[in-house]
Amino acid sequence: MIRPDFDLPRARRETRGCEQQIHFNNAGASLPPVPVADALYGYLYDEEVYGGYEVMARRSAELDNFYAASARLLNCSADEIAFTDSATRGWNSAFYAFNFQPGDRVLAGSAEYGSNLVAMLHQAKRQGVEIVWVPDDASGQIDIRALENLVDARVKLICLTQIPSGGGLVHPAAAVGKVAKSAKIPYLLDACQLLGQRPLDVEEVGCDLLCGTGRKFLRGPRGTGLLYVRKTLLEQLEPHQLNHHAAELLSVERYQLRMDAKRFESWERSYAGQLALGVAIDYALGWGLEAIGERIRLIADNLRQKLSGIDGITVADQGPDLCGIVTFYAAQLPADQLQHQLALRHINTSTVPFSANPISSQQSRHPALLRASLHYYNTIEEIERFAIELKQLL
Ligand SMILES: Cc1ncc(COP(=O)(O)O)c(C=O)c1O
């Protein structure tokens, strides 16, 4: 049952884009809500009229709200947050800050994002780091026993992508956090597909580093993201690249690294994006991440049920805990053609490329998948229309 107290009319009223099409590509980029879009346009207008540096000075409190809002979202302190231009930038900044030595090991889960894998292979090639893939259990989630057994003195980092780019499965990030904590190994969480979709408390999860992006379930602008760095790790992690924002220049010969997570930032950035991401986070917190998560789960289950009833369609998502990302394939038409045909009918979906989650893709026997990713502003009526269009197409 869909909760009657979820104010769906308001959610749709405040989402201008949902009048144009059925947007089931929230795992790609969500439709930003009106307050976020207006904050972005308003700030850009101010830059046009008053000048970028002048607006930055005048609206510094609103810009700073990004850090406070992120801290509220993750239950951390504002000085543990860095603004980034993407999840990838955040993840790379964290990963490349480790001073890996030949023979060091990184343990990682099967959902790891393709870009993270490229960086791991790069460090394996340059530094002699060994990447060890932790197997999944029979349910599809990361096997916690296997993870425990892989922990030894060689392991310098544990990585987990909590929700794969191309699948509905949610990995038990807190269980991984317990293993990392008891072994005293730093834990880097890619929460890119989770932030804005479900609550995430870094104390409960036990991660030391976390990256997220603005444009997906947080409904922020493109070109924005965040990196969380636990205070106790901050001092030990020296960014791979420095600049005069990350470190204060004391003389022509000396610099001093910042003590907060801003040591992972650049000075230049989209200030409009930063401000609007802060608005997006507050907007999500206003709805409540529990309520958002519950609604997404309900409508995604509804979609999976409807898809299972269509001849020729196989739903690919598996696992005890599924989210708003729904993946499937049809016997009659390949995923890219399906996506194209749906787009002609004003329904946005995406395909799942190999680079989305290469390790699990390699292990899977499915043909290419189509991804329909739902947010709370999507409706049962949209799901019904989606199912009708699919039936007609097939
Ligand atoms: C799980 C996951 N991690 C990281 C990323 C990269 O995000 P960004 O494009 O903001 O760097 C994505 C993007 O799809 C993703 O799905």
Side-chain angles (χ1 to χ4, degrees):
M1 218 198 53
I2 303 296
R3 268 172 66 148
D5 58 343
F6 194 91
D7 193 351
L8 185 60
R10 182 191 145 210
R12 293 190 66 81
R13 223 174 29 247
E14 294 180 357
T15 306
R16 288 189 275 252
C18 66
E19 287 163 20
Q20 319 295 324
Q21 69 251 304
I22 294 181
H23 189 69
F24 284 179
N25 191 15
N26 294 288
S30 281
L31 301 173
V34 170
V36 173
D38 286 356
L40 184 73
Y41 307 148
Y43 192 93
L44 288 174
Y45 175 80
D46 280 1
E47 284 189 342
E48 177 197 347
V49 175
Y50 302 113
Y53 286 41
E54 291 70 18
V55 176
M56 186 173 78
R58 192 183 298 179
R59 300 185 65 175
S60 62
E62 286 169 88
L63 287 164
D64 272 349
N65 179 58
F66 157 75
Y67 299 99
S70 302
R72 288 191 285 275
L73 178 72
L74 299 176
N75 184 30
C76 64
S77 117
D79 57 10
E80 294 176 307
I81 297 292
F83 176 78
T84 67
D85 59 13
S86 64
T88 299
R89 184 83 66 190
W91 196 93
N92 279 351
S93 300
F95 183 69
Y96 282 92
F98 285 86
N99 189 16
F100 293 120
Q101 303 298 314
D104 283 350
R105 280 188 162 186
V106 173
L107 304 183
S110 69
E112 210 57 59
Y113 184 62
S115 180
N116 304 351
L117 171 56
V118 171
M120 287 174 180
L121 295 174
H122 187 220
Q123 284 296 70
K125 190 172 83 178
R126 286 181 121 187
Q127 306 292 120
V129 176
E130 217 185 308
I131 313 298
V132 180
W133 299 101
V134 183
D136 292 327
D137 63 20
S139 79
Q141 290 183 327
I142 187 167
D143 187 332
I144 299 299
R145 276 268 167 79
L147 174 66
E148 281 167 344
N149 291 335
L150 283 166
V151 165
D152 62 27
R154 290 170 294 181
V155 179
K156 296 298 182 306
L157 180 67
I158 296 176
C159 298
L160 180 76
T161 292
Q162 192 170 5
I163 297 180
S165 193
L169 181 140
V170 184
H171 285 284
V176 171
K178 282 203 182 97
V179 177
K181 194 170 181 186
S182 76
K184 296 193 173 63
I185 298 170
Y187 172 23
L188 166 55
L189 183 68
D190 180 334
C192 187
Q193 293 290 0
L194 187 126
L195 293 190
Q197 188 176 177
R198 288 188 176 190
L200 196 155
D201 177 329
V202 291
E203 291 310 318
E204 271 171 29
V205 167
C207 56
D208 302 297
L209 300 141
L210 174 153
C211 74
T213 206
R215 72 182 183 280
K216 297 181 189 289
F217 289 92
L218 280 173
R219 308 185 69 193
R222 293 202 66 172
T224 65
L226 63 85
L227 172 68
Y228 156 78
V229 186
R230 191 177 286 280
K231 219 171 260 169
T232 47
L233 200 62
L234 252 177
E235 282 173 30
Q236 300 159 40
L237 280 187
E238 190 165 304
H240 180 62
Q241 293 184 4
L242 287 181
N243 58 69
H244 67 339
H245 168 81
E248 188 190 350
L249 205 47
L250 300 175
S251 71
V252 289
E253 279 153 358
R254 285 193 316 126
Y255 64 81
Q256 187 173 341
L257 260 176
R258 293 184 70 114
M259 296 309 289
D260 58 17
K262 292 190 177 97
R263 63 169 58 182
F264 289 98
E265 291 185 343
S266 309
W267 184 80
E268 181 55 358
R269 68 193 66 182
S270 165
Y271 285 92
Q274 175 181 326
L275 179 130
L277 180 54
V279 173
I281 292 170
D282 280 336
Y283 188 77
L285 290 170
W287 283 95
L289 270 309
E290 288 285 352
I292 289 175
E294 190 186 342
R295 174 161 173 86
I296 293 178
R297 225 184 331 250
L298 285 166
I299 60 175
D301 283 353
N302 184 293
L303 174 58
R304 286 192 190 93
Q305 263 174 26
K306 293 228 165 58
L307 289 172
S308 307
I310 301 176
D311 255 2
I313 286 191
T314 305
V315 174
D317 307 316
Q318 54 153 336
D321 184 9
L322 297 177
C323 69
I325 299 179
V326 178
T327 56
F328 61 96
Y329 60 93
Q332 301 92 323
L333 262 189
D336 56 346
Q337 285 186 39
L338 257 185
Q339 185 209 10
H340 178 66
Q341 289 299 327
L342 287 164
L344 294 176
R345 289 158 177 79
H346 307 288
I347 299 175
N348 300 343
T349 57
S350 68
T351 52
V352 177
F354 173 70
S355 62
N357 29 254
I359 301 300
S360 49
S361 287
Q362 182 177 258
Q363 291 161 359
S364 133
R365 289 196 199 94
H366 295 313
L369 298 176
L370 193 72
R371 180 180 75 176
S373 44
L374 308 185
H375 217 323
Y376 59 86
Y377 59 77
N378 291 127
T379 65
I380 296 295
E381 291 72 28
E382 288 180 320
I383 291 171
E384 278 160 2
R385 207 189 116 213
F386 182 67
I388 290 169
E389 296 284 0
L390 269 176
K391 272 188 213 158
Q392 282 174 0
L393 267 172
L394 300 176

